[in-house]
Amino acid sequence: MTFRIKKGLSIFALVSIIGYCNGQENEQNSMNNPLLSEWNGPYEGVPAFDKMKIEYVKPAIRKGMELHLAEIDKISENSEEATFENTIIPMEKAGEELDRAFTYYGIYSSNVSSPEFREVQKELAPEISEFSSKISQNEKLFNRIKTVYERSQKEPLSPARQRVIDLIYEDFAMQGAELSKKDKERYAAINKELSALYTQFSTNVLADEENYVIYLDADQLGGLPESYIKSAAQAAADRGNDGKYAVTNTRSSMDPFLTYSTEREIREQVWKNYYSRGDNGDEYDNNEIVKQILKLRDERVELLGYDNYAQWRLQNRMAKNPENAMDLMMKVWPAALARVEEEVKDMQKIADSQDANITIKPWDYRFYAEKVRKEKYDLDSEEVKQYLELGNLTQALFYTAGELFNFNFTPVEEGSVPVFHEDVKVWEVTIKDSGDLIGLWYLDPYARQGKRSGAWATTYRSYNELMGGKPVLSSNNSNFIEPAPGEPVLVSWDDAETFFHEFGHALHFLSADIEYPTLNSGVRDYTEFQSQLLERWLSTDKVINQFLRHHETNEVIPDELVRKIKKASTFNQGFATIEFLASAIMDMKYHTTDPENIDPDTFERETLKELNMPEEIVMRHRTPHFGHVFSGEGYATGYYGYLWADVLTSDAAEAFAKAPEGFYDKEMASKLVKYLFAPRNAMDPAEAYKKFRGRDAKIDALMRDRGFPVPEENQ
């Protein structure tokens, strides 16, 4: 997942990014506030993370909004006829102080949150909503934008400028710029209500992640790998429970526990804790919040003349409409269901052979899937982890970036660039051949209290020529379990793929070659494509032979084990596909159904039953903690986008595989950078892909990748 700040960002994306926040008001001179100050130091300025204080947050955001609105007023009150130069250019340049403040805000919300910070966020959320509405509903400003846009339809601008005005006009129109005064007031009020609900939804999920921790005794560690035991001991000690072992309520802790623990009753409790986040009938329950969100979203798009939220949201996505998105998902769903049936039979067979006297339940799936993996493919996930050490994987990222993008990564001297936590490391990114500076790459690898779960990428400063083409400041953030002192960080194959995935987002930022800030925006069902494609380089021979080395002996991973990994690449694809698709389909169903008829708990159960959802699997993100969709609007009716992007990924990967030099073919790499990475949103995604591939993408490669039959009409 990727989050970033962009000038003119709509309130929907803005609230998604901001997360949680709190603190005391500081009445100092706002312009002396370190969170607003121009960035100083090396690399044409870097964020002053060493000067962050929660008490600076409210005055910084408020002053930043005030300054941004003053700039907007100056643009909208200009008496000269509207042109790209006197309207769009100053809009693109406006809000620098606020952008800087939101950089720190994003760090607090995602990486180092606290109860105090969340209180500040609750207070600021409605103010930020009002700020956004003051821009999106500024009639004079929109009239100037409309003038420039309509003239461009008769007298086209340069490609970059035309793309900018098209995107800006479309965004304002979608935000209700042409509504009546009365409807605009209601539209703004809805946004304000939603911003508070998004904040509360996120806060509730984080509370359940922090509050539900299971502590184990030494006699309850059966089956768990030594590396997990050491990390669990450290996690318990960090929480004041020395001598115990903590299973935290995050995916990075839950997933390996369910895979290896022989304690079935505890597996069940760990599973229930994780999948019940936001659904415990207490003060942190999110079901009522979901109902309110759905009703408000539906009311808002009705003001704009749309039948449902999905219809409004998808109009500028690659899918164009909810019918196309659902069509893709339902082409894959039956094949995935059939595969799950096979997987469950294989697991039940093993359970029966061991006289377990059980029927496979959701908390058994990972445990017995691992046994099937060992039996069918003689593949032990724990054995694979011995060759996936975080430091080596990081070097593998750099090697891949060097081969494809001609980038070089060099560690910066510790202390020369401020960081917000001692875990964060920083690298300088340059062009290999010339030594020209590209930017910095920050890595925040470990899980900790106050850091949201999952993995994501962000930028503190993006590249564009208009603002001087300053070095890119990009960041990757993971939740690997921090090891005990002196121990290596060993990760699963899935986590290694995710590491490559998020680095793909960073490379997308670092390789940008665009003129205007707006062109750094993304199209949701396309923006995951580049990062999903980069995952494929993890399993290339050059990466395997150089970087997948045993953490103790430094021996390269054996060819036989590599063959097993590749042979098992389609293993458990039923589970992986169904848990994802269930979430994506539910997302679409929620936003194409009259919300008056929706009770989230009932609707989720009944919809999944209609889909014949296997009882042994649960949605990857159940409704009450589906942050992609209900803590903001970035992925609302857009979760299907991962599958849409995966169609592009599989198709593009086949193009590389068939190239003369395979995944390291120079001509293919050049086209990859030129058409798929460097343009960002300066080019229509469908056009960009066609330039890269020579044709539109087909679903065939995706089905082959997952070991599913290719649809007959495609054969």
Side-chain angles (χ1 to χ4, degrees):
M1 182 184 302
T2 177
F3 294 98
R4 57 181 302 278
I5 301 293
K6 140 179 155 32
K7 291 179 174 62
L9 196 65
S10 69
I11 185 61
F12 318 126
L14 196 59
V15 175
S16 300
I17 291 167
I18 296 166
Y20 346 97
C21 182
N22 297 346
Q24 301 291 319
E25 181 80 61
N26 189 317
E27 298 300 336
Q28 65 170 330
N29 184 335
S30 294
M31 290 314 294
N32 292 332
N33 190 316
L35 307 194
L36 285 171
S37 301
E38 196 165 337
W39 293 346
N40 298 312
Y43 305 103
E44 299 188 46
V46 292
F49 290 132
D50 54 338
K51 296 180 180 178
M52 287 170 56
K53 291 184 179 179
I54 290 177
E55 57 261 34
Y56 295 153
V57 172
K58 277 196 287 187
I61 297 297
R62 285 171 173 163
K63 186 63 178 179
M65 291 190 293
E66 177 188 327
L67 293 169
H68 195 173
L69 287 174
E71 292 173 305
I72 293 298
D73 285 342
K74 186 176 180 180
I75 297 166
S76 59
E77 296 296 336
N78 189 340
S79 59
E80 297 177 4
E81 184 180 7
T83 65
F84 194 94
E85 291 290 343
N86 68 21
T87 301
I88 306 305
I89 294 292
M91 279 183 66
E92 290 287 275
K93 291 182 175 180
E96 281 194 86
E97 293 87 357
L98 185 58
D99 281 353
R100 289 196 289 267
F102 272 133
T103 294
Y104 302 105
Y105 203 178
I107 294 297
Y108 272 121
S109 66
S110 297
N111 300 73
V112 289
S113 185
S114 66
E116 295 78 19
F117 181 71
R118 290 165 219 159
E119 287 304 312
V120 169
Q121 201 269 347
K122 284 181 184 178
E123 187 174 341
L124 286 179
E127 296 178 28
I128 293 167
S129 175
E130 288 181 352
F131 156 77
S132 180
S133 293
K134 286 177 182 177
I135 296 177
S136 65
Q137 297 189 1
N138 184 317
E139 191 170 341
K140 290 182 179 179
L141 177 66
F142 179 66
N143 286 337
R144 294 185 67 82
I145 293 168
K146 189 175 182 179
T147 297
V148 177
Y149 172 77
E150 290 180 343
R151 185 182 299 122
S152 76
Q153 301 305 294
K154 301 172 185 175
E155 304 169 17
L157 303 170
S158 68
R161 289 190 167 200
Q162 190 63 53
R163 182 72 171 164
V164 169
I165 187 60
D166 288 348
L167 291 172
I168 290 176
Y169 176 79
E170 178 183 69
D171 186 56
F172 270 75
M174 286 182 67
Q175 307 304 328
E178 298 187 277
L179 292 174
S180 67
K181 182 179 179 181
K182 179 182 177 182
D183 286 347
K184 279 183 180 178
E185 290 175 354
R186 180 56 190 152
Y187 194 98
I190 290 172
N191 282 346
K192 190 173 180 179
E193 290 180 64
L194 283 170
S195 69
L197 291 170
Y198 297 154
T199 300
Q200 192 59 51
F201 186 97
S202 298
T203 300
N204 288 348
V205 174
L206 187 58
D208 275 358
E209 289 178 351
E210 292 178 345
N211 294 339
Y212 287 80
V213 179
I214 292 177
Y215 293 98
L216 308 177
D217 294 320
D219 61 355
Q220 296 175 307
L221 304 176
L224 295 174
E226 189 63 26
S227 59
Y228 185 93
I229 291 171
K230 289 177 178 177
S231 297
Q234 186 66 48
D238 291 344
R239 290 163 174 76
N241 283 274
D242 290 289
K244 296 280 189 178
Y245 304 85
V247 183
T248 59
N249 203 20
T250 62
R251 183 172 289 275
S252 60
S253 184
M254 172 276 296
D255 201 85
F257 185 87
L258 295 184
T259 301
Y260 298 110
S261 174
T262 57
E263 300 285 339
R264 189 172 189 246
E265 288 186 6
I266 303 177
R267 286 206 311 268
E268 180 179 356
Q269 188 57 52
V270 168
W271 183 91
K272 287 181 176 178
N273 281 356
Y274 185 78
Y275 288 104
S276 295
R277 290 171 299 149
D279 194 26
N280 291 300
D282 56 13
E283 61 182 306
Y284 302 118
D285 192 279
N286 273 331
N287 284 286
E288 187 59 36
I289 290 174
V290 168
K291 288 172 64 174
Q292 294 177 54
I293 288 172
L294 291 172
K295 288 179 180 179
L296 288 168
R297 285 177 177 172
D298 193 66
E299 181 187 354
R300 194 181 64 201
V301 300
E302 190 176 339
L303 291 172
L304 297 170
Y306 293 90
D307 293 336
N308 56 59
Y309 180 87
Q311 188 185 79
W312 169 80
R313 181 73 279 175
L314 268 64
Q315 62 185 294
N316 61 352
R317 303 285 168 87
M318 288 189 78
K320 301 302 182 188
N321 57 60
E323 291 77 20
N324 288 341
M326 282 296 292
D327 180 62
L328 171 63
M329 291 190 283
M330 296 315 296
K331 281 181 178 176
V332 178
W333 181 260
L337 279 181
R339 178 57 57 83
V340 166
E341 191 173 342
E342 295 172 11
E343 290 172 1
V344 172
K345 284 181 180 177
D346 288 340
M347 291 187 287
Q348 190 66 55
K349 184 178 178 181
I350 287 182
D352 293 344
S353 71
Q354 296 178 346
D355 296 323
N357 195 28
I358 66 165
T359 299
I360 299 294
K361 297 291 185 184
W363 45 89
D364 300 315
Y365 209 108
R366 291 168 176 83
F367 182 76
Y368 283 99
E370 181 61 19
K371 291 182 179 296
V372 173
R373 188 200 308 267
K374 289 180 182 178
E375 182 178 276
K376 269 196 167 185
Y377 304 100
D378 192 24
L379 183 61
D380 184 341
S381 296
E382 191 60 23
E383 180 185 2
V384 174
K385 285 177 68 174
Q386 308 310 305
Y387 298 91
L388 297 173
E389 190 272 324
L390 185 60
N392 286 340
L393 286 172
T394 304
Q395 293 304 311
L397 298 181
F398 298 160
Y399 172 78
T400 302
E403 292 296 299
L404 298 179
F405 295 81
N406 201 30
F407 287 168
N408 187 60
F409 287 72
T410 307
V412 304
E413 183 180 350
E414 194 166 333
S416 63
V417 172
V419 294
F420 53 82
H421 192 278
E422 61 184 7
D423 289 346
V424 180
K425 306 301 178 189
V426 189
W427 284 260
E428 179 181 290
V429 188
T430 56
I431 296 293
K432 278 202 303 185
D433 298 342
S434 65
D436 292 345
L437 178 67
I438 297 297
L440 295 179
W441 181 66
Y442 297 69
L443 175 63
D444 182 18
Y446 302 128
R448 58 176 169 268
Q449 287 183 285
K451 185 177 182 181
R452 68 179 179 86
S453 60
W456 67 97
T458 190
T459 43
Y460 308 138
R461 183 171 63 215
S462 300
Y463 177 87
N464 70 85
E465 294 174 10
L466 182 66
M467 304 303 288
K470 293 184 177 182
V472 175
L473 305 178
S474 64
S475 171
N476 279 143
N477 309 269
S478 302
N479 267 282
F480 300 119
I481 299 176
E482 188 168 10
E487 296 293 327
V489 182
L490 304 178
V491 307
S492 68
W493 186 264
D494 285 347
D495 283 343
E497 285 188 325
T498 299
F499 198 36
F500 267 71
H501 175 106
E502 297 303 334
F503 188 62
H505 285 305
L507 290 175
H508 204 180
F509 302 141
L510 289 162
S511 60
D513 184 14
I514 59 170
E515 294 182 48
Y516 302 102
T518 286
L519 300 180
N520 261 313
S521 62
V523 178
R524 182 60 66 189
D525 51 8
Y526 181 69
T527 194
E528 294 296 334
F529 158 52
Q530 290 83 353
S531 50
Q532 288 179 193
L533 183 58
L534 202 79
E535 295 175 24
R536 301 305 178 100
W537 272 264
L538 172 63
S539 56
T540 60
D541 290 342
K542 289 186 177 182
V543 165
I544 287 170
N545 293 331
Q546 293 180 77
F547 303 104
L548 304 197
R549 294 175 174 270
H550 197 282
H551 69 98
E552 291 178 336
T553 67
N554 202 38
E555 292 179 1
V556 176
I557 187 169
D559 290 342
E560 183 183 358
L561 188 53
V562 172
R563 284 195 294 271
K564 290 177 182 178
I565 293 171
K566 292 184 175 181
K567 185 180 178 183
S569 63
T570 60
F571 171 73
N572 222 30
Q573 275 298 321
F575 172 85
T577 304
I578 288 294
E579 70 157 5
F580 160 76
L581 273 180
S583 294
I585 292 170
M586 284 301 307
D587 171 30
M588 200 62 67
K589 292 282 190 180
Y590 272 124
H591 293 98
T592 52
T593 302
D594 184 350
E596 292 295 331
N597 301 326
I598 292 178
D599 169 75
D601 181 64
T602 304
F603 189 74
E604 180 182 292
R605 281 188 287 104
E606 291 182 350
T607 303
L608 293 176
K609 185 177 180 180
E610 289 174 9
L611 290 166
N612 294 316
M613 178 76 170
E615 294 180 2
E616 300 85 0
I617 300 180
V618 69
M619 295 163 61
R620 183 174 180 84
H621 305 287
R622 285 197 56 240
T623 303
H625 52 254
F626 203 168
H628 288 75
V629 173
F630 296 113
S631 65
E633 300 194 33
Y635 279 86
T637 69
Y639 198 65
Y640 78 91
Y642 285 97
L643 182 66
W644 194 278
D646 224 358
V647 171
L648 301 175
T649 299
S650 296
D651 193 66
E654 281 198 352
F656 267 100
K658 294 175 181 177
E661 300 297 322
F663 279 82
Y664 296 90
D665 187 87
K666 294 301 181 185
E667 183 180 346
M668 288 296 297
S670 176
K671 290 167 66 177
L672 175 85
V673 176
K674 181 178 180 180
Y675 296 122
L676 303 184
F677 278 77
R680 298 289 295 164
N681 201 10
M683 190 183 299
D684 178 81
E687 178 188 347
Y689 188 81
K690 192 175 291 187
K691 284 180 178 293
F692 165 76
R693 191 69 166 99
R695 58 165 175 76
D696 293 328
K698 300 177 181 179
I699 195 176
D700 306 29
L702 172 78
M703 302 300 277
R704 284 191 287 269
D705 272 347
R706 300 192 180 202
F708 299 162
V710 175
E712 288 185 13
E713 65 267 24
N714 291 45
Q715 293 180 359

